[in-house]
Amino acid sequence: MRVDSFAIRLRPRGNFEAADLGVRLCQNSARSVFPCYLAVLVPVSAISLASFGIAAWLPILVLWWLKPWLDRTILFTLSRAAFGQATRPADLWREQRQVWRSQLFLTLTWRRLSPWRSFTQPVYQLEGLRGAELRARVRQIRSGRGGAATGISSAFGCAETSVLFALVSLIGWFAPTGTGQSLAIQIFNGVSSGWVDFVLSVAYAVTIGFVEPFYVAAGFALYLNRRAELEAWDIEQEFRRAFGA
C-alpha cells in the first residue's frame, strides 16, 4: 500500500480526534457514501417494513440486526474515499461479492453484538486475512483501543436515540391539533398500537440512514490511526511526499 496515495493527512491523533476525522471524511465524501448506502438501505427498509404484518416489532428488529451488513457498503465507499476515489452504485455492484457476501454469517451472528464493531470491521473486510492470522491481527489492532471503540459505539448510540426522538417529536410539532399530537403523545408514553409501531419503524429507518455512515466513518478513522501508529504510516507518508519515492 502506498501511503502517499491517501487523501487524508496521517499524523498521531488522540482516539476521539481520530473519530472526528472520520466524521469529516464522511462529510467530505457524502456524495459517494449516501447514494451507495441508500441504494442498499431503501430496499432493505422496504422489506423490513413489509414484515409489519407479521409482528409490529419485527421491522425495527430486522433493521437493527442487519446494520453490520449495511455497514459493509459504507465501509467500502469510505475506504475508497480515503484515497480520493469517488464511488458510484455501479462500482458497488461490481464488488458485490466482496462487500455483501463475504463473511455474511459471522457478520450477522458473532460480530453483530461486538461493542467495537466499527473499529474492527476494516480488519475483517479490507485486509483479506483468514483463520489464526485474522484473529491475531484483530487482537493487535484492538489492543489498548477497545475502550475508545466502545465509547464511540455508546456516543453514536445516544446520537441515534436523540435523532429518533427528534423525528417522532416532529409529529407533535407539525401535525394539526388532534390526531398527530395524540399519536406523538402515545409514542412518548410507550403506548403500543399499530400506527405507533409503524411510525417508530419508519423513523428508525430514517435515523440509521443518517447516523450510521458517521458511526462507521468514526470507527474506520480510528482503525487508520491505529495502523498509522503500528506501522509508522505518518512518517512514511511524509518521506514519500518529500522525496517522491
Side-chain angles (χ1 to χ4, degrees):
M1 178 186 297
R2 290 184 59 91
V3 297
D4 56 319
S5 299
F6 273 111
I8 57 179
R9 179 72 176 271
L10 298 173
R11 62 173 177 81
R13 290 180 170 88
N15 293 327
F16 295 108
E17 185 185 2
D20 183 65
L21 173 67
V23 172
R24 296 299 301 272
L25 174 64
C26 186
Q27 289 176 327
N28 292 336
S29 56
R31 291 186 178 181
S32 291
V33 172
F34 283 94
C36 291
Y37 181 44
L38 292 177
V40 180
L41 177 63
V42 170
V44 169
S45 298
I47 293 171
S48 68
L49 289 173
S51 68
F52 183 80
I54 301 174
W57 47 264
L58 194 55
I60 291 180
L61 177 62
V62 170
L63 285 171
W64 177 83
W65 199 267
L66 288 178
K67 280 204 292 184
W69 182 78
L70 294 169
D71 292 351
R72 296 180 66 89
T73 297
I74 303 170
L75 181 57
F76 172 76
T77 308
L78 289 171
S79 67
R80 291 166 56 91
F83 290 93
Q85 301 176 27
T87 304
R88 300 170 301 170
D91 300 318
L92 184 65
W93 183 258
R94 282 194 294 268
E95 300 294 334
Q96 60 176 290
R97 183 177 182 85
Q98 174 200 349
V99 179
W100 297 333
R101 303 181 197 174
S102 176
Q103 304 175 1
L104 179 61
F105 178 75
L106 289 174
T107 297
L108 297 179
T109 53
W110 177 254
R111 298 173 194 162
R112 174 61 191 88
L113 302 178
S114 171
W116 42 72
R117 61 184 174 85
S118 69
F119 176 45
T120 55
Q121 182 58 36
V123 183
Y124 296 120
Q125 185 172 339
L126 304 177
E127 295 195 15
L129 303 176
R130 294 290 185 272
E133 188 178 10
L134 173 60
R135 291 189 292 272
R137 180 62 168 170
V138 169
R139 287 194 298 269
Q140 181 188 40
I141 293 291
R142 200 178 65 203
S143 178
R145 298 295 183 275
T150 302
I152 288 172
S153 295
S154 299
F156 278 93
C158 292
E160 186 177 279
T161 302
S162 299
V163 172
L164 177 62
F165 276 99
L167 288 174
V168 171
S169 71
L170 291 177
I171 301 173
W173 280 101
F174 292 104
T177 302
T179 305
Q181 293 181 344
S182 175
L183 181 60
I185 292 172
Q186 289 182 53
I187 292 174
F188 283 113
N189 288 337
V191 177
S192 180
S193 69
W195 276 110
V196 168
D197 293 328
F198 186 78
V199 167
L200 279 174
S201 299
V202 173
Y204 185 66
V206 174
T207 297
I208 65 174
F210 175 72
V211 176
E212 198 70 8
F214 294 101
Y215 168 62
V216 176
F220 177 53
L222 186 62
Y223 160 81
L224 291 179
N225 193 54
R226 177 60 171 156
R227 286 202 62 177
E229 175 187 315
L230 290 172
E231 301 165 33
W233 275 359
D234 55 324
I235 299 175
E236 181 182 350
Q237 185 182 60
E238 291 301 324
F239 270 103
R240 286 185 177 275
R241 286 178 173 174
F243 300 104

